[in-house]
Amino acid sequence: MLQYDFRQAHLVAIDNVVFGYDQGQLKLLLFERNIEPSKGGWSLVGGWVKPDESVEDAAYRVLTNITGLSNLFMEQVEVFSKPDRDPGGRVISVVFYALIDIKAHDHQMVNQYGAKWWPVNKLPELIFDHGVMKDAALQRLRIKASRDLVGRDLLPAEFTLTQLRNLYNCIFMKEFDPGNFRKKIISLNALRRLDKKDLSESKKGAYYYKFKNKSADQFTERIINI
Amino acid sequence: MLQYDFRQAHLVAIDNVVFGYDQGQLKLLLFERNIEPSKGGWSLVGGWVKPDESVEDAAYRVLTNITGLSNLFMEQVEVFSKPDRDPGGRVISVVFYALIDIKAHDHQMVNQYGAKWWPVNKLPELIFDHGVMKDAALQRLRIKASRDLVGRDLLPAEFTLTQLRNLYNCIFMKEFDPGNFRKKIISLNALRRLDKKDLSESKKGAYYYKFKNKSADQFTERIINI
DNA sequence: TTAACAAAAGTAATTATTACTTTTAATAAT
DNA sequence: ATTATTAAAAGTAATAATTACTTTTGTTAA
């Protein structure tokens, strides 16, 4: 166990880019930092990696502690390790992104930690390199969403194709053609249409859909061309 | 500098998946490990991350030391951090992949370190989780090669379209149609045809091509559909 | 009863992909 | 010299996917 040289050890942290979707907007969960350096600035959802856990376990632990949610979708993004990236000291940070249903998580716990949901296109100034981390995570989310339907973790269980399209509009920051988007999504055969309509947005009403089953949102086929 | 808790520090290493191309084959540079654990097994090109360098700097330093090459193309793949991944102790490893011209590097230095080039489809048993690391790196190489022409770092300066196609065949482990591949590559407008032919493979001879300029292999357009 | 509205369906033009066939330019054999 | 041989290079036609639209539908509110 001790044949390796432990003199050159590093502090390793994780930072989670937590995406949520609410009121037609893609949002990010941010913390108001209450310790120096950069006290008062806004940061991603971070924490230390413990000696006997993987970085994945650390990222998951930190996020479930705050949101009260389990079975979160999380994916590794990239390591940030410039020696001066954190003015408080040399910290290597592994970035993850997570997708969560804003309605489902424990708001009280989030509030108690001083966290707040911000629309991705109206973010406050982020500390350190967290802005770059967010950009990298969004790019990874786009790659994910270009191959798999990402609605399951962000939308309520029952949703309209218009809602799904709006989520994709937010993720890719462009307007998808309603007819073509509908055609493509239905061709994937991953959603089941319910005999129930949302009448709040139009006179005709839009059918509610739900995901068929757990594995049906994993495609090999491309949904969005990026 | 000392407001962070340095009691829970980690050993951080890098492992490079070094791809080369030679004699029509995609190859991997591997080391015969001369320390326990797994002495005698084959490993990726690894090294420790020093206190005041980024993981990118560490990966680059390790590889230039061994090959004598500079200006290497390298890209971060993923962090491997399961507590028991290395039986010698808890080591967090950041994996990179690199593309190098086998003909151009310092063979003597490579040999002196006990390294050897192995065809990717005839690899020896790799130590620890290095096999998984290799798979992840190959997948990243495919994503890269699906958007950018990757020949520049792997092929000699002048090459035929048949050679380039064979490289892509190796990377994607499938046979691309000669006519369609040619059509696609030429349409990218990234190569310049020389008034010179390679007559070793056919009676007619195949024109040599070279890359136009440094930035011409960065496309937004898709080359290969994955 | 009708106007209004977005949902949902349909369409036609364009572009990209695929699976081929034909022609070409050189060498080697006759 | 002529011809056979070879893979390179060019060409083609069918199919599939994408795009930019138009039309129809079902429901509510005026």
Side-chain angles (χ1 to χ4, degrees):
Chain A
M1 273 300 166
L2 285 165
Q3 53 261 73
Y4 291 146
D5 178 5
F6 277 81
R7 285 168 296 180
Q8 296 187 351
H10 301 267
L11 282 183
V12 180
I14 58 87
D15 280 299
N16 291 323
V17 181
V18 184
F19 291 107
Y21 182 72
D22 187 30
Q23 294 173 273
Q25 285 186 310
L26 189 65
K27 295 184 175 178
L28 223 59
L29 185 62
L30 297 177
F31 272 54
E32 199 160 9
R33 197 175 150 96
N34 55 19
I35 55 163
E36 289 297 347
S38 297
K39 185 170 174 174
W42 292 86
S43 78
L44 299 172
V45 185
W48 299 109
V49 176
K50 294 185 176 177
D52 281 305
E53 68 180 354
S54 66
V55 291
E56 283 78 13
D57 288 346
Y60 187 82
R61 169 178 54 75
V62 167
L63 195 50
T64 50
N65 275 350
I66 289 159
T67 62
L69 297 173
S70 55
N71 275 100
L72 294 165
F73 174 82
M74 301 187 79
E75 218 167 63
Q76 205 186 107
V77 177
E78 201 182 325
V79 181
F80 286 76
S81 64
K82 286 203 187 116
D84 58 351
R85 55 168 292 278
D86 182 334
R90 161 43 147 174
V91 177
I92 293 175
S93 177
V94 186
V95 176
F96 289 80
Y97 77 90
L99 305 179
I100 84 171
D101 184 351
I102 293 187
K103 292 290 197 312
H105 78 280
D106 187 335
H107 288 264
Q108 205 165 7
M109 212 180 295
V110 166
N111 292 339
Q112 157 199 329
Y113 280 101
K116 187 174 170 308
W117 286 97
W118 292 81
V120 281
N121 44 21
K122 279 176 207 155
L123 293 177
E125 197 71 28
L126 300 184
I127 63 164
F128 309 166
D129 48 5
H130 287 206
V132 187
M133 291 175 169
K134 180 266 294 177
D135 290 340
L138 185 54
Q139 204 183 320
R140 290 297 284 268
L141 172 57
R142 284 178 185 149
I143 289 170
K144 166 83 179 164
S146 75
R147 301 197 146 277
D148 308 324
L149 274 180
V150 294
R152 193 193 296 278
D153 301 291
L154 291 166
L155 296 170
E158 303 182 352
F159 53 89
T160 66
L161 292 185
T162 306
Q163 282 178 277
L164 181 62
R165 175 164 52 86
N166 184 69
L167 169 60
Y168 267 73
N169 288 345
C170 291
I171 292 173
F172 289 94
M173 289 172 187
K174 65 183 242 187
E175 290 281 315
F176 290 99
D177 178 278
N180 297 336
F181 186 83
R182 155 185 302 280
K183 200 188 331 184
K184 178 56 116 177
I185 297 301
I186 287 172
S187 77
L188 299 172
N189 205 30
L191 303 181
R192 180 181 315 291
R193 198 179 82 174
L194 309 178
D195 284 331
K196 213 163 91 179
K197 281 187 167 184
D198 169 21
L199 295 163
S200 67
E201 299 291 321
S202 77
K203 305 293 166 60
K204 180 178 178 182
Y207 281 109
Y208 280 109
Y209 286 77
K210 63 190 291 184
F211 280 90
K212 273 186 179 167
N213 55 54
K214 196 62 193 163
S215 61
D217 51 350
Q218 296 286 339
F219 307 104
T220 48
E221 194 191 345
R222 185 169 297 277
I223 304 172
I224 307 297
N225 276 316
I226 54 171
Chain B
M1 273 299 168
L2 285 166
Q3 54 259 74
Y4 291 146
D5 177 5
F6 276 82
R7 285 168 297 180
Q8 296 187 352
H10 301 267
L11 282 185
V12 180
I14 58 88
D15 280 299
N16 291 325
V17 181
V18 184
F19 291 106
Y21 182 72
D22 188 30
Q23 295 173 272
Q25 286 186 309
L26 189 66
K27 295 184 177 179
L28 223 61
L29 186 62
L30 297 177
F31 273 55
E32 198 161 9
R33 199 173 149 97
N34 55 17
I35 55 163
E36 290 296 347
S38 299
K39 186 170 173 175
W42 292 85
S43 77
L44 300 172
V45 184
W48 299 110
V49 176
K50 294 185 176 177
D52 282 303
E53 69 181 352
S54 66
V55 292
E56 283 78 12
D57 288 345
Y60 188 82
R61 170 178 53 76
V62 166
L63 194 50
T64 50
N65 275 351
I66 288 159
T67 62
L69 297 174
S70 54
N71 275 101
L72 295 166
F73 174 84
M74 302 186 78
E75 217 167 62
Q76 205 188 108
V77 177
E78 201 183 325
V79 181
F80 286 76
S81 64
K82 287 204 187 114
D84 58 351
R85 55 166 293 277
D86 183 333
R90 160 45 146 172
V91 178
I92 293 175
S93 176
V94 186
V95 176
F96 289 79
Y97 78 91
L99 304 179
I100 85 171
D101 184 352
I102 292 189
K103 293 289 198 311
H105 78 280
D106 187 335
H107 288 263
Q108 204 165 9
M109 213 181 293
V110 166
N111 294 339
Q112 158 199 328
Y113 280 101
K116 187 174 170 311
W117 287 97
W118 293 81
V120 281
N121 43 20
K122 280 177 208 156
L123 294 176
E125 197 71 28
L126 300 183
I127 63 164
F128 310 167
D129 48 3
H130 288 207
V132 188
M133 289 174 170
K134 180 266 295 177
D135 290 340
L138 185 54
Q139 204 184 320
R140 290 297 283 268
L141 172 57
R142 284 180 185 148
I143 291 170
K144 167 82 178 162
S146 74
R147 302 198 146 277
D148 308 324
L149 274 180
V150 294
R152 191 194 297 277
D153 301 290
L154 292 166
L155 296 170
E158 303 182 352
F159 54 88
T160 66
L161 292 186
T162 306
Q163 283 178 277
L164 180 63
R165 176 165 51 86
N166 183 70
L167 169 61
Y168 267 74
N169 287 345
C170 292
I171 292 173
F172 289 94
M173 290 174 187
K174 65 182 239 188
E175 290 283 315
F176 289 99
D177 178 278
N180 296 336
F181 186 83
R182 154 185 303 279
K183 200 188 329 184
K184 178 56 114 178
I185 298 302
I186 286 171
S187 77
L188 298 172
N189 205 31
L191 304 181
R192 180 180 315 290
R193 197 179 83 173
L194 309 178
D195 285 330
K196 213 164 91 180
K197 281 186 169 185
D198 169 20
L199 295 162
S200 67
E201 300 291 321
S202 77
K203 305 293 166 63
K204 182 178 178 181
Y207 282 108
Y208 281 110
Y209 285 77
K210 64 189 295 185
F211 280 88
K212 273 186 177 168
N213 56 52
K214 197 63 192 163
S215 61
D217 52 350
Q218 297 285 339
F219 307 106
T220 49
E221 194 190 345
R222 185 170 298 276
I223 304 172
I224 307 296
N225 276 317
I226 54 172

